[in-house]
């Protein structure tokens, strides 16, 4: 199906962008919308699960990006950047795996990638909550 070929190109592009430090929740949300459309057209349930995983990831990314822009101490900034680098690599790999699963019509592999993306969404949400608690608040001028 031509839509799937276009999706493969888009998901590989998103994976490349993430590896190049471009976290764009809207791009991930758009991929989720495409998967939802493919699911409706093909009536294959695993597309709905993949779509939901991408929507969850996009929401987690948006939340993390809002919180990570707050001022942090150098210690926490360094730790956060290292963890985020690992998460970005895992997201990029999961997107590539998802692309391959969709291309080969392997619903089991697709569900595995959805689980990976949901776990990464959880990690991002957890990091966001932790960062909210440690953000530096400047004292009021006296």
């Amino acid at each position: 199906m031509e839509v799937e070929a276009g999706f493969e190109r888009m998901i590989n592009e998103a994976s490349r962008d993430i590896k190049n430090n471009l976290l764009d929740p809207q791009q991930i949300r758009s991929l989720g919308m495409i998967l939802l459309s493919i699911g409706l057209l093909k009536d294959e349930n695993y597309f709905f699960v993949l779509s939901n995983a991408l929507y969850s990831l996009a929401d987690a990314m948006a939340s993390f990006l809002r919180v990570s822009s707050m001022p942090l101490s150098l210690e926490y900034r360094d730790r956060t950047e290292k963890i985020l680098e690992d998460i970005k690599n895992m997201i990029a790999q999961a997107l590539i795996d998802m692309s391959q699963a969709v291309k080969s019509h392997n619903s089991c592999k697709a569900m595995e990638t959805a689980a990976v993306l949901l776990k990464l969404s959880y990690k991002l949400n957890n990091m966001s909550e932790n960062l909210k608690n440690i953000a530096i608040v400047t004292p009021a001028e006296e």
Side-chain angles (χ1 to χ4, degrees), residues 24-91:
D24 184 4
Q26 188 56 45
Q27 182 183 33
I28 300 299
R29 194 169 281 114
S30 295
L31 291 172
M33 189 178 300
I34 291 167
L35 282 172
L36 180 62
S37 299
I38 293 172
L40 290 169
L41 290 171
K42 295 185 78 172
D43 197 31
E44 293 187 39
N45 292 334
Y46 72 94
F47 284 106
F48 298 107
V49 176
L50 292 175
S51 174
N52 190 27
L54 288 174
Y55 283 137
S56 295
L57 179 62
D59 291 344
M61 287 169 68
S63 175
F64 177 79
L65 290 172
R66 275 192 304 276
V67 173
S68 67
S69 65
M70 290 194 257
L72 296 171
S73 69
L74 287 177
E75 175 188 357
Y76 285 111
R77 172 81 44 204
D78 290 342
R79 276 196 229 162
T80 301
E81 287 175 2
K82 184 185 178 334
I83 293 168
L84 180 60
E85 189 64 34
D86 292 342
I87 289 175
K88 285 190 303 189
N89 289 334
M90 288 185 268
I91 291 171

